[in-house]
Amino acid sequence: MDFTPTEAQAGARDLAARIFGDLAGHERLTAVGTGSDPRLWKALSTAGLIGAVGELGLLGLVLLLEEQGRTTAQVPYAAACVYGRLAVLAHGGPEQRERLLPAIDDGSLVVTGAFPAQKGVRASAAGELTGTVPVVPWLRDATHVLVADAGRRLWLAPLGEGTATTPVELTAPWSAARLTLDGAPAEPLGGPGAYADVLATARTVLATARTAFAGLQAGVCAGSLARAVAHTNAREQFGRPLATRQAVQLRAADAHMDTEAIRVTAYEAAWRRDAGLPYATHALTAAWWASEAGARVVHTGQHLHGGAGADVGHPVHRHFLWGRQLDAHLGCGPEVLQELGESIANGE
């Protein structure tokens, strides 16, 4: 097991860090408000950081998402890569890959995902979807949505005919919306296969998503902690920096260890996926750490800022909102832990 990034992965990570650092500063994020940033999205696609994910693997994507999380940059990068680039590359047919991947890579086709599987979504024999998905992150930015129906079959539906979206505000500004499908035309992703094959495909996409979002949470936590360290070193109380207080040091140390646990479990799951090894339980482990430890870290980051951390206009508050949103995304801690226990008991 070796988590050392390749030269290509390290280069892409450094490029992503520069782009996010230059275009997702506090002033820019304040100006963007609760929407996504089209200028940043254009910069990422022009730099080839969407198309590169196919060659960089899931570990490479986790490294890139860490950099997004550090700045809480408001673009649908995780969703577009997981539900678009990687899903089509892994499960789409040759014609689908040839038709869809170039548009995904240049940022003109933006895919988000309605996951986990939606019991209320039904697919007709003609490939028309009917049902409602209460919340789909980044749906307002998307051109297509990847839906897992009640049978866990994957469908890629363009937004337009037969679809309606109603904006929904989440804890974090993820441009979410309620999705209503009323005979929406869609194409299946992947072959018909047996039920076991269909189930495995849906689980694979979900495991990939959980791993990627755990990497995003690692970045969010690292960014929150970095701000807290800078604040407590600069802020003095009774003639001494707050960072010299033992209680502050202990809380920061615990947050650092939690952040490292999120990072290393995400790296392991991603590495196993890239190596062609089973990784579903490892993805659940990463998701559990991202949920449980992530919430602790962003609370610590906000707390160590004192009263300033409660200011909704302060940069660290944005990390707090993202961390809390990621805590619940794709399953909160107790739900993930139950699923992990059942998977282990079933020998998966």
Side-chain angles (χ1 to χ4, degrees):
M1 190 180 301
D2 185 3
F3 302 151
T4 305
T6 64
E7 184 177 346
Q9 289 171 337
R13 177 196 60 199
D14 294 344
L15 176 58
R18 288 197 297 273
I19 293 175
F20 286 126
D22 291 343
L23 300 180
H26 177 57
E27 291 184 359
R28 177 62 183 174
L29 289 172
T30 301
V32 170
T34 60
S36 293
D37 190 341
R39 185 178 68 171
L40 177 55
W41 185 244
K42 180 65 175 178
L44 291 171
S45 59
T46 301
L49 290 179
I50 301 174
V53 171
E55 289 70 43
L56 298 176
L58 184 54
L59 180 56
L61 176 59
V62 166
L63 293 171
L64 299 179
L65 289 174
E66 274 193 82
E67 300 306 324
Q68 180 186 2
R70 290 179 198 276
T71 61
T72 60
Q74 290 173 202
V75 285
Y77 189 51
C81 290
V82 170
Y83 302 123
R85 219 322 166 159
L86 291 181
V88 172
L89 187 64
H91 306 294
E95 186 276 332
Q96 288 176 317
R97 291 195 293 269
E98 183 178 357
R99 170 169 49 89
L100 297 172
L101 289 180
I104 292 174
D105 294 348
D106 68 22
S108 60
L109 194 157
V110 181
V111 184
T112 189
F115 273 80
Q118 302 297 321
K119 296 180 180 179
V121 175
R122 302 177 303 279
S124 70
E128 295 180 337
L129 303 181
T130 302
T132 300
V133 183
V135 179
V136 181
W138 292 290
L139 187 62
R140 283 179 269 167
D141 298 328
T143 61
H144 291 67
V145 59
L146 185 66
V147 179
D149 64 18
R152 302 203 177 187
R153 180 82 179 273
L154 294 182
W155 299 89
L156 186 63
L159 296 177
E161 181 185 353
T163 66
T165 61
T166 305
V168 174
E169 297 303 329
L170 303 181
T171 302
W174 283 5
S175 298
R178 176 186 178 92
L179 175 65
T180 302
L181 302 160
D182 186 10
E187 58 181 303
L189 196 65
Y195 177 76
D197 296 331
V198 172
L199 187 62
T201 299
R203 283 179 172 173
T204 297
V205 173
L206 183 56
T208 300
R210 280 174 163 153
T211 304
F213 282 101
L216 184 62
Q217 181 74 302
V220 169
C221 291
S224 176
L225 184 57
R227 291 187 182 279
V229 169
H231 174 80
T232 54
N233 274 286
R235 179 77 170 176
E236 291 190 358
Q237 188 179 64
F238 304 114
R240 293 170 54 192
L242 287 174
T244 63
R245 309 292 177 179
Q246 188 178 46
V248 172
Q249 294 173 356
L250 291 174
R251 289 213 66 184
D254 286 343
H256 172 74
M257 294 306 297
D258 273 339
T259 301
E260 288 302 300
I262 300 169
R263 177 181 288 117
V264 75
T265 51
Y267 283 7
E268 181 179 12
W271 179 86
R272 290 182 65 89
R273 191 257 193 192
D274 293 342
L277 299 172
Y279 72 105
T281 55
H282 298 79
L284 285 166
T285 301
W288 182 83
W289 275 104
S291 175
E292 294 285 305
R296 288 196 296 266
V297 173
V298 296
H299 273 269
T300 294
Q302 188 177 47
H303 188 198
L304 291 180
H305 278 77
D311 180 359
V312 296
H314 195 285
V316 79
H317 190 74
R318 190 177 295 110
H319 287 271
F320 174 77
L321 295 178
W322 277 65
R324 293 301 311 186
Q325 184 66 52
L326 284 163
D327 168 24
H329 190 57
L330 299 180
C332 62
E335 293 174 336
V336 171
L337 192 61
Q338 179 181 350
E339 188 177 343
L340 176 60
E342 291 172 352
S343 296
I344 294 173
N346 293 332
E348 298 178 1

